[in-house]
Amino acid sequence: MHVERLDVIRQRSIDGIGSSPELRDWLRCLIQPQLEYIGAGPGLSYFGQFWLAMATNPTTAPVLYTEAARSESLAVTLAGMYAALPPLAEETVRVRNLMTQNILITTFADFERRRNELGASDSTSWQGFSDAVVDGLVGLWSAPVTTG
């Protein structure tokens, strides 16, 4: 149920990026749907915290990632993101993927927790928060690679 709703939001993001998307556009398609889903809904949300609990449990983490892999819009987003990157060594991509996963899962849960603490009445702050997360991940993925 959650994944289907996220797919609708993500597909809307993909449809809006135009004909020459860049890394920032694809990262926005990766990040914005979860934050919109958590931040625009009425009332309290526990979706991000649920994903965090699943991701940090060795028994449930594979289930989480298997479920996410079923999303066609997520696959399109990731393929577009990788195509927009400069050439990177396989190990660099592996490490940055791991960092991105951990950053997003904990950041979504922290955003949700804070919103819940404030009574979940704000349904717009996710937009500025999403932009800040995108900016940070553009920096992560665009960072120079140490050689040698």
Side-chain angles (χ1 to χ4, degrees), residues 122-140:
D122 176 12
S123 63
T124 61
S125 67
W126 68 267
Q127 295 164 333
F129 191 84
S130 179
D131 290 341
V133 175
V134 168
D135 291 344
L137 287 180
V138 167
L140 172 73

Side-chain angles (χ1 to χ4, degrees), residues 17 19 33 41 46 48 54 59 63 65 69-70 94 98 117 123 134 147:
I17 59 176
S19 60
Y46 299 96
M54 285 194 65
T59 305
V63 174
Y65 295 116
R70 292 186 179 142
R94 188 187 72 74
L98 181 63
E117 288 171 357
S123 63
V134 168
T147 57

Side-chain angles (χ1 to χ4, degrees), residues 1 6 17 20-21 35 38 45 53 58 65 67-68 78 100 104 132 135-136 144:
M1 176 169 90
L6 286 169
I17 59 176
S20 299
L35 288 171
I38 292 167
S45 170
Y65 295 116
E67 183 65 23
L78 292 173
T100 299
L104 292 181
D135 291 344

